[in-house]
Amino acid sequence: MADVLTLTGIRKRYGGGKAPLIEVLHGIDLSLAEGEFAALTGPSGSGKSTLLNIMGLLEPPSEGRLVIAGEAAHDLGDDARTRLRNRYLGFIFQFHHLLPAFTALENVLMPVFAGHGRVDAADRTRAAALLERVGLAEHAYKQPVQLSGGQQQRVAIVRALMARPRLVLADEPTGNLDTQTAADVFALMREINREDGTTFLIVTHDARLADSCGRQVRLVDGSLKN
Amino acid sequence: MFVPTVAWRLMREGRFQSWLILAGVTLGVAVVVYITAIVSGLQANIIDKTLSTQAHVTLKPREDVNLRQITVPEGETLLAEVETRTQRENTIGNWQRLKAAADTVPGVAASAALASGPGFVVKGGVRKSVVLMGVELADYQRIVPLESKLRAGRLRLASGDVMIGTELARDLGLKVGDRLRVVTATGSAESYTIAALLDFGLKDLSRRWLLMPLRSAQNQLGYRLDISEIYLRADDLFDAEALAAAAAARTGLDADSWQETNSQLVTALRSQSASSNMIKVFVTLAVALGIASVLVVSVVQKQREIGILRAMGTPGARIRAVFLLQGALYGLAGSLLGSALGAALALGFTRIARNTDGSPLFPVVVTPSLFVVTALIATAVGVLAAWAPARRAARLDPVEAIRG
Ligand SMILES: Nc1ncnc2c1ncn2[C@@H]1O[C@H](COP(=O)(O)OP(=O)(O)O)[C@@H](O)[C@H]1O
Ligand SMILES: [Mg+2]
């Protein structure tokens, strides 16, 4: 199956100049195949978020090559990276990061709104259907603060799916949920992966949840361990 | 539409800040509108009052008219140059031709001939020093409107009529229909009938001016058929200086614009304009800084939201536009509210500041164009003030924003 994402020799350094130069990622080679459901594990500070941000085109690598959906992305400018991000990628963060000034439905629509500058009736229908799928149909017009933590994270998940991304990057999406809610949220992502074939890479500390994934990638001190 | 929607939601979210800065912009604009309305009203009123008894341009005899140049015909030798005494010529001869010439200068709306000079009014043993102003009434009224100045009698200057100022009438106890005697330095003495009493707006003029038929003044002042001045009215009173130069060139006479005649007034008006402009500039700067600082704070407060929007694929330019639009909206909304407030204050001022007779001290000038210009400037200032914060928002590192 074709790769959604390929990393070759990715290094990331911070600092330099007056601050001490530290290398956080020491040459990462990694491919994610279409339809994979992979867990990224590793101790705190090992570089998981940094790796995810590089994959998500939120920051450029210091060295190495990055190909997303067949397009080389490691040395693109900000606008081109933004366009690729909008087209191929969905994000789920630990702290759901919904926009407080918008309703649940508007938050779900946001990736399309942000990328195209407007939304049409079909987009609205899809957003409503996504909310219904995660059991939030009657909460569509509520503000994020009116929702529980689990509900907010479910909104964030369908928001990540709104623009039909090829790859969803989730950074500790269940990190601040209770065990039962975390399991529910995880099951939901697994279901979407099975039904829609969307590729997932999920950072988690929970060994049980990681074991339930089709693949585990372990990062220790900035290097991959198998 | 993404940009207006997001801009509006962010402004609504930071409601308290939004109201504060809107109030600030409103007050700033109100001050500017108020000052503009008051100052332009005041200045228009002063100019109007000043020019209600003056010509825009006054043509006078050339001062050097008698300094003849000695030209030596070829083949002859100049043995001696006898300097003739320079007689200051006081009058303009052959004036009909010159007046007609002045009329052809573009921008001249009307002209009037004037024979003026000093004299005395004698009544019951009292002598009052006056200025004889010989005019052709129809011409003169096109330069100096008299209807509004008429207090008694009729505007009429038939042979033997005079129109005198209200102050002179009061000093001498005269009324319309009374006769008075006018004497001049030439020894001429004539009797006239008072046709009208006029209030020239300034006590001194109302005490001294004596309007009489041109022929009578020429006779009494010894001008024969000459006159002393030609008055011109300009289509646009602020063109008077250029008009004066053109009329001087065309007629060979000296020409004074009202600005030269009233140079102190013009200087005073200019410095008033300069200081009110200074206030406007500083108020505008303060408004701009206010908008900028609110937006800078807003960018910092909203950096997480901005980061999320960026992570979801919002181009930097679209983020920038969101903040520029906020600046424009603060400027525009503030200018509309501020224009209304400033105009209300200015109009309120005219209700408070009144003459003893209850009429407004001066009319304030509140025109639609003042509102339009203010709105445009305020909106532009809002956009400019938003420039730096918007740039900052667009360049925000999404990773930093989301981590933080
Ligand atoms: N912008 C940065 N500047 C300097 N060091 C950074 C920066 N971002 C991350 N790091 C460092 O990189 C390492 C990896 O961080 P991170 O990717 O957040 O780890 P994880 O997500 O696995 O906990 C940490 O030691 C962190 O301090
Ligand atoms: Mg992390």
Side-chain angles (χ1 to χ4, degrees):
Chain A
M1 221 186 254
D3 286 342
V4 177
L5 175 102
T6 311
L7 302 181
T8 326
I10 292 291
R11 289 175 185 275
K12 183 64 182 180
R13 286 181 286 269
Y14 288 115
K18 275 190 186 155
L21 188 74
I22 41 168
E23 188 166 279
V24 175
L25 297 174
H26 314 295
I28 306 286
D29 298 307
L30 177 66
S31 294
L32 290 174
E34 189 92 58
E36 255 188 316
F37 194 76
L40 177 60
T41 61
S44 184
S46 57
K48 304 182 297 293
S49 295
T50 305
L51 184 60
L52 228 65
N53 289 338
I54 290 173
M55 289 175 168
L57 306 180
L58 291 173
E59 58 186 323
S62 308
E63 243 177 73
R65 297 171 44 77
L66 170 63
V67 178
I68 287 184
E71 297 192 43
H74 44 272
D75 54 2
L76 293 176
D78 184 60
D79 281 342
R81 281 192 288 145
T82 302
R83 218 174 304 118
L84 285 186
R85 200 155 63 221
N86 188 251
R87 200 147 117 213
Y88 297 125
L89 298 170
F91 289 95
I92 305 168
F93 307 98
Q94 176 174 4
F95 304 100
H96 51 83
H97 286 324
L98 297 180
L99 298 167
F102 294 83
T103 64
L105 185 73
E106 289 168 335
N107 266 285
V108 173
L109 281 164
M110 198 50 77
V112 173
F113 201 28
H116 301 186
R118 53 182 194 80
V119 290
D120 57 25
D123 296 322
R124 284 175 198 286
T125 310
R126 173 174 166 77
L130 284 169
L131 280 174
E132 188 166 2
R133 181 170 175 183
V134 296
L136 293 173
E138 72 271 32
H139 300 294
Y141 295 100
K142 288 189 178 166
Q143 306 290 320
V145 290
Q146 298 173 281
L147 302 175
S148 72
Q151 289 172 329
Q152 292 182 4
Q153 198 57 296
R154 278 185 276 162
V155 173
I157 290 171
V158 292
R159 178 178 67 180
L161 298 171
M162 177 67 206
R164 301 177 200 277
R166 302 278 292 277
L167 171 63
V168 172
L169 299 167
D171 196 351
E172 303 191 40
T174 58
N176 64 338
L177 299 178
D178 63 69
T179 321
Q180 185 52 50
T181 316
D184 290 348
V185 164
F186 225 80
L188 173 65
M189 291 193 284
R190 188 80 227 218
E191 179 193 315
I192 290 161
N193 163 256
R194 288 223 181 87
E195 289 177 6
D196 301 1
T198 310
T199 310
F200 278 79
L201 179 64
I202 305 166
V203 174
T204 182
H205 284 299
D206 189 321
R208 255 180 351 110
L209 293 178
D211 287 342
S212 73
C213 294
R215 178 181 173 192
Q216 282 196 39
V217 179
R218 188 161 173 79
L219 188 65
V220 178
D221 281 341
S223 303
L224 290 185
K225 295 275 180 306
N226 290 316
Chain B
M1 291 297 290
F2 181 87
V3 171
T5 308
V6 174
W8 178 246
R9 293 294 177 91
L10 291 183
M11 285 164 82
R12 224 177 49 177
E13 207 183 3
R15 200 163 305 167
F16 187 55
Q17 279 170 37
S18 303
W19 282 119
L20 277 186
I21 190 57
L22 189 60
V25 177
T26 300
L27 285 181
V29 170
V31 167
V32 169
V33 166
Y34 176 78
I35 289 181
T36 307
I38 295 282
V39 167
S40 46
L42 177 64
Q43 296 207 344
N45 185 254
I46 289 175
I47 291 172
D48 207 50
K49 270 196 177 149
T50 306
L51 294 185
S52 84
T53 51
Q54 289 187 16
H56 294 166
V57 174
T58 306
L59 296 174
K60 290 178 178 162
R62 281 274 291 269
E63 297 212 346
D64 59 356
V65 79
N66 266 14
L67 293 176
R68 292 204 187 77
Q69 258 193 306
I70 298 168
T71 49
V72 183
E74 252 180 286
E76 291 187 20
T77 316
L78 183 68
L79 294 176
E81 187 174 328
V82 180
E83 188 153 323
T84 55
R85 188 166 63 96
T86 50
Q87 274 182 330
R88 180 75 154 70
E89 191 78 57
N90 289 319
T91 59
I92 304 169
N94 203 4
W95 55 270
Q96 285 87 349
R97 188 180 54 78
L98 294 172
K99 181 172 176 290
D103 276 331
T104 65
V105 174
V108 170
S111 66
L114 206 80
S116 69
F120 295 94
V121 168
V122 185
K123 183 73 185 176
V126 183
R127 282 161 72 95
K128 288 277 177 189
S129 154
V130 294
V131 181
L132 280 62
M133 311 250 291
V135 297
E136 288 171 323
L137 190 60
D139 276 359
Y140 183 72
Q141 276 191 274
R142 263 176 239 131
I143 310 286
V144 178
L146 294 177
E147 283 82 2
S148 60
K149 302 182 176 66
L150 182 65
R151 291 293 173 271
R154 285 178 47 220
L155 295 176
R156 189 187 65 178
L157 281 183
S159 175
D161 284 338
V162 281
M163 301 196 287
I164 68 169
T166 47
E167 292 297 318
L168 181 63
R170 190 191 327 235
D171 289 351
L172 296 177
L174 294 168
K175 57 185 191 302
V176 172
D178 288 354
R179 293 185 63 78
L180 55 73
R181 231 172 129 68
V182 177
V183 300
T184 64
T186 60
S188 147
E190 296 284 345
S191 281
Y192 298 90
T193 306
I194 297 173
L197 301 184
L198 302 170
D199 181 357
F200 291 105
L202 288 172
K203 281 212 162 122
D204 192 47
L205 299 186
S206 294
R207 187 165 283 138
R208 291 167 59 83
W209 277 14
L210 204 66
L211 289 177
M212 57 172 55
L214 184 63
R215 280 295 314 142
S216 310
Q218 285 172 325
N219 284 338
Q220 287 214 273
L221 294 167
Y223 291 171
R224 290 186 299 277
L225 293 176
D226 292 359
I227 59 169
S228 53
E229 287 132 303
I230 298 173
Y231 278 5
L232 301 180
R233 178 178 194 83
D235 287 326
D236 178 352
L237 67 97
F238 294 104
D239 282 346
E241 281 173 316
L243 208 68
R250 184 78 55 103
T251 58
L253 298 169
D254 272 355
D256 283 343
S257 64
W258 68 268
Q259 288 101 323
E260 288 172 82
T261 316
N262 304 279
S263 62
Q264 271 187 334
L265 173 69
V266 170
T267 307
L269 294 182
R270 286 216 178 107
S271 17
Q272 187 186 44
S273 295
S275 58
S276 78
N277 285 342
M278 187 104 111
I279 293 172
K280 289 188 222 168
V281 165
F282 281 116
V283 168
T284 307
L285 274 180
V287 164
L289 291 176
I291 293 177
S293 61
V294 159
L295 289 178
V296 165
V297 169
S298 168
V299 168
V300 173
Q301 282 179 337
K302 301 286 185 294
Q303 63 177 359
R304 174 179 278 223
E305 277 100 323
I306 295 166
I308 298 167
L309 288 169
R310 295 284 281 130
M312 287 188 302
T314 313
R318 210 164 268 161
I319 296 289
R320 184 164 52 235
V322 165
F323 283 88
L324 291 178
L325 181 62
Q326 288 187 48
L329 287 176
Y330 285 129
L332 181 64
S335 74
L336 296 181
L337 293 174
S339 294
L341 178 62
L345 286 176
L347 294 174
F349 176 84
T350 60
R351 300 203 160 203
I352 296 163
R354 285 181 178 275
N355 292 315
T356 41
D357 66 355
S359 64
L361 216 49
F362 55 86
V364 296
V365 179
V366 178
T367 58
S369 75
L370 174 61
F371 291 151
V372 173
V373 169
T374 306
L376 287 178
I377 291 178
T379 308
V381 165
V383 171
L384 287 177
W387 202 264
R391 222 169 97 110
R392 215 172 133 172
R395 292 187 175 181
L396 214 73
D397 181 358
V399 174
E400 287 286 309
I402 291 165
R403 269 215 186 105

